[in-house]
Amino acid sequence: MHQVLSPLQVQFVRVLEMNGPEIEDAVERELEENPALEVDTDASLSDSEDDVFNETAEDIQLADYRSEDDIPSYRFEASNHSASDKVYEPVAVQGGGSLMEQLNSQLAQMDLTDKQLRIAHIITGNLDDNGYMTRAINAIADDAAIHDGINTTPQEVKEVWEIVRTLEPAGVGAVDLRDCLLLQLKARPQTEDVKIAREIVDHNFDLLSRMDFSKLRKTLKIDEEKLRDAMGVIRSLDPKPGGSSVSGESGEEKMRHITPDFIVENDGGDLNLIIPNRIPALQVEKSFADADVEISEATPDRQAEAKAFIRSRRDDAASFIKALGMRTETLTRVMSAIMKIQRQFFLTDDVHTLKPMILKDISELTGYDISVVSRATSGKYVATRQGIYPLKFFFSERPKENSDTSSHEVMAALKSLIDNESKTSPLSDEAIAESLKSQGYEIARRTVAKYREKAGIPVARLRRNV
């Protein structure tokens, strides 16, 4: 026995997995590729009648002033520039660029021979996303000779590699973490704390990795204050110079680029679900509606081919429209079920109010298969008054069976304990488990370790400060 999915079911599964921007692109592609599909202008116009927005950018700026008397005179002046005049218009540009683009831009400004520049481009092309060297010097020399026709030696490649290692951001071209930190330290003004930091990374990296501060003090023959300053320098270094430092985007900035698939509004204790509809109303194009239309000046064979083409395209369009409708209905029911279980969170935005919830709970409320619920929630986001959350954020297992405490609540309590612990004597997993037990969270030490690792928090030994 085997399960067979209809073409409509396959298409529905495909569109259900898509988030907002992806489904918009899919609709646009379908409109371009399928002549039987068109935008229903009548429905689209009627949907947007209540949201007509005719204000210009200048109108919006003028509305910021309390009265007409407060508006500066230059706001009323006409822009009398000719078509050939150059007028500065501030525009939003994408900053950064890829690591390879930034490095090659710096190389272009250096006094390098054509051969050195070509070798340097091969080297930058062999750096990973974090800025680390991924291949050996000998292998790069072989690549240059075989694929690029550059007659070079490992020594020449090494000389160019050392040039690449001087580029910004400091640390690129390193072979490992220790090498990366050393490159950054060498690029800094050589103050006393930087020199001590270099000594630690260069000759005592094993003690640093174990955070064995007492041995470091004895080995370097320095006091606690100097070690603390040197450790401060080391902690300020970037272990991934080709990552976040190149993109220039923090986690919060990246979140601003997320388009929420749902919006939940709290209207005086009543929750309202809004699904931003950025997809136009679609319909089957009228000339494709009748597949039995006679085509003039065509042989019977041509007539049959044309009718088959019209029927195929019409069925594809109708199937796509139906799949979109099924997607909207599924997402609405799934999100409504999440709101029902996590009602207190959407009212308060307090993570402690989150209840344990798994895919099976939503499946039982909606009647959908667990796989459908998983696809409906994967990659989707909801906006509340406090921020934007991935739908997977609301799913959490019970730390203990028959418990009403969610893993989010336990995680918050665990983070609070670690944030307030003594930095010179951090809590072990066993001690954290005992502290959580005193707060009413009955979880085992191995569960503490699992949550700690999930939160990206290192073990006690690595959390210890000088």
Side-chain angles (χ1 to χ4, degrees), residues 174-320:
V175 295
D176 53 30
L177 177 59
R178 175 176 167 275
D179 188 28
C180 177
L181 299 181
L182 274 175
L183 285 175
Q184 295 178 60
L185 289 169
K186 290 175 182 178
R188 293 195 174 192
Q190 297 302 298
T191 59
E192 184 181 9
D193 51 354
V194 172
K195 289 180 180 178
I196 295 174
R198 283 185 63 177
E199 180 70 17
I200 292 173
V201 174
D202 199 1
H203 301 110
N204 299 279
F205 194 71
D206 56 336
L207 296 179
L208 174 65
S209 62
R210 297 200 304 269
M211 293 294 182
D212 195 336
F213 299 118
S214 60
K215 282 191 178 181
L216 276 173
R217 284 197 302 271
K218 293 177 182 177
T219 303
L220 299 173
K221 299 178 181 178
I222 57 175
D223 57 30
E224 187 173 311
E225 184 178 355
K226 288 184 178 180
L227 180 58
R228 186 184 298 111
D229 292 340
M231 288 302 300
V233 172
I234 293 173
R235 290 192 178 97
S236 68
L237 303 177
D238 189 353
K240 300 178 180 179
S244 58
S245 61
V246 173
S247 66
E249 291 185 338
S250 65
E252 291 182 0
E253 288 172 330
K254 291 177 180 177
M255 286 297 287
R256 292 194 194 109
H257 298 168
I258 293 174
T259 303
D261 302 271
F262 309 94
I263 300 173
V264 176
E265 294 182 346
N266 179 5
D267 185 12
D270 294 328
L271 296 179
N272 298 322
L273 173 61
I274 300 171
I275 300 182
N277 187 14
R278 295 173 291 269
I279 302 174
L282 303 176
Q283 66 179 7
V284 177
E285 204 273 332
K286 293 180 181 178
S287 62
F288 282 78
D290 184 6
D292 298 323
V293 64
E294 294 296 326
I295 301 173
S296 60
E297 301 180 2
T299 63
D301 289 342
R302 289 288 187 180
Q303 286 272 5
E305 287 180 16
K307 288 182 180 180
F309 172 79
I310 292 173
R311 189 179 297 110
S312 172
R313 290 303 191 181
R314 181 198 61 190
D315 292 346
D316 288 345
S319 176
F320 186 72

Side-chain angles (χ1 to χ4, degrees), residues 99 103-104 106-107 110 112 116-117 119-125 127 131 133 157-174 183:
L99 175 64
L103 297 178
N104 288 344
Q106 295 175 62
L107 289 167
M110 302 180 73
L112 301 177
Q116 287 177 318
L117 191 58
I119 295 172
H121 288 168
I122 297 174
I123 293 173
T124 58
L127 301 180
M133 188 74 157
V157 173
K158 185 176 181 181
E159 290 172 0
V160 177
W161 173 54
E162 291 295 346
I163 294 174
V164 171
R165 285 157 60 87
T166 65
L167 302 177
E168 293 291 335
V172 293
L183 285 175

Side-chain angles (χ1 to χ4, degrees), residues 289-350:
D290 184 6
D292 298 323
V293 64
E294 294 296 326
I295 301 173
S296 60
E297 301 180 2
T299 63
D301 289 342
R302 289 288 187 180
Q303 286 272 5
E305 287 180 16
K307 288 182 180 180
F309 172 79
I310 292 173
R311 189 179 297 110
S312 172
R313 290 303 191 181
R314 181 198 61 190
D315 292 346
D316 288 345
S319 176
F320 186 72
I321 293 171
K322 188 171 184 180
L324 288 180
M326 294 167 62
R327 175 185 182 273
T328 301
E329 180 185 359
T330 303
L331 292 180
T332 302
R333 291 178 61 184
V334 168
M335 189 64 220
S336 298
I338 293 174
M339 291 167 59
K340 183 176 181 180
I341 295 177
Q342 306 293 3
R343 176 179 173 79
Q344 285 303 312
F345 174 83
F346 288 108
L347 290 174
T348 63
D349 273 279
D350 182 1

Side-chain angles (χ1 to χ4, degrees), residues 18-29 31 39 44 47-48 51 256-263 274-282 320 324 327-328 331 379-383 388:
M18 298 179 182
N19 57 28
E22 290 171 342
I23 195 66
E24 290 174 36
D25 291 341
V27 170
E28 188 175 341
R29 284 196 306 271
L31 284 168
V39 175
S44 297
D47 289 342
S48 60
D51 301 315
R256 292 194 194 109
H257 298 168
I258 293 174
T259 303
D261 302 271
F262 309 94
I263 300 173
I274 300 171
I275 300 182
N277 187 14
R278 295 173 291 269
I279 302 174
L282 303 176
F320 186 72
L324 288 180
R327 175 185 182 273
T328 301
L331 292 180
K380 311 296 193 306
Y381 293 82
V382 57
I388 299 177

